[in-house]
Amino acid sequence: MSHSTPSQNRLSKILGQLSPSLCNSSRKYRILITGVFYPLAPRILKYLKSLGHDVVLLEQPLNYADAKKTLLYHLDNVRNDYDGIMNAWTLTLEGSVLDKLPNLKVVSCISSGKNNVDNDYCKKRGIPVTNVPASLSETVADMVVGMILATCRNIVSSSNTLRKKGVEILEKPETSNALAFAERT
């Protein structure tokens, strides 16, 4: 029996929620993947390309304003004939942006919510907006446990106090050499 990793589970959830018409169709679509999101993007890109779709992964800076400018520049000057757009939570798609996509048939949010898309605009144009409701449940749970531990053990305030006192804090402990690490603590 094979076990899937959390990353594979998230990928399965995302691909299952994209749009059944995208994944189960003999028609070939033009899809834009935009927004900054986790390392699943290349795997999603590879999967959609394996189905024969024309897919573009728009490389964007981490800064929101620059990412938005990159998207707008791409749509105005490079290409805007996409049938679908896959967007991470990091980029808001207002009606004015979606207006630049005359062939748009579906918007897929790579997030649990749809609040980064102008849903009213999409409804007026008859464009379905999909999302991945439970895609990050495990990640959020990990973060909550980490924050509880950090709070209970005063990790952040202790680290800040040590930094103020000039104690060198290792950003990446040398786990392969325990002796070197022990000499620094």
Side-chain angles (χ1 to χ4, degrees):
M1 180 164 127
S2 72
H3 294 283
S4 58
T5 66
S7 179
Q8 289 168 328
N9 288 338
R10 279 195 297 274
L11 180 62
S12 296
K13 288 177 186 175
I14 288 168
L15 293 174
Q17 292 290 327
L18 287 179
S19 173
S21 60
L22 276 179
C23 295
N24 301 324
S25 172
S26 60
R27 179 161 185 248
K28 304 310 174 201
Y29 292 98
R30 292 171 301 279
I31 304 165
L32 176 64
I33 301 177
T34 186
V36 180
F37 58 101
Y38 42 89
L40 291 179
R43 290 170 50 194
I44 294 170
L45 177 76
K46 182 179 177 184
Y47 174 74
L48 291 172
K49 282 188 173 187
S50 77
L51 295 175
H53 298 303
D54 179 8
V55 186
V56 172
L57 175 59
L58 187 59
E59 296 289 334
Q60 292 180 293
L62 292 175
N63 172 297
Y64 179 84
D66 291 341
K68 187 69 156 213
K69 287 178 193 173
T70 301
L71 173 62
L72 293 173
Y73 178 85
H74 179 82
L75 295 177
D76 287 338
N77 300 296
V78 180
R79 186 175 179 187
N80 72 344
D81 63 341
Y82 297 102
D83 298 302
I85 185 166
M86 293 177 62
N87 186 51
W89 61 270
T90 54
L91 205 53
T92 303
L93 299 176
E94 302 92 355
S96 60
V97 174
L98 297 170
D99 246 357
K100 297 176 182 291
L101 297 157
N103 300 337
L104 192 61
K105 294 171 185 58
V106 64
V107 176
S108 294
C109 300
I110 309 302
S111 62
S112 57
K114 300 179 187 180
N115 57 330
N116 61 334
V117 175
D118 187 338
N119 288 285
D120 292 334
Y121 175 87
C122 288
K123 193 173 194 175
K124 286 177 191 169
R125 268 188 65 186
I127 299 169
V129 179
T130 66
N131 66 333
V132 192
S135 64
L136 299 173
S137 299
E138 295 166 12
T139 306
V140 171
D142 290 346
M143 182 62 75
V144 168
V145 170
M147 294 175 107
I148 289 170
L149 290 171
T151 302
C152 290
R153 298 292 183 181
N154 293 318
I155 292 172
V156 175
S157 61
S158 297
S159 175
N160 290 339
T161 300
L162 289 170
R163 288 175 194 266
K164 286 178 188 171
K165 291 184 177 185
V167 176
E168 181 183 341
I169 305 292
L170 292 176
E171 296 300 325
K172 294 181 181 175
E174 299 171 26
T175 55
S176 61
N177 189 343
L179 182 58
F181 179 69
E183 290 173 359
R184 292 186 175 189
T185 58

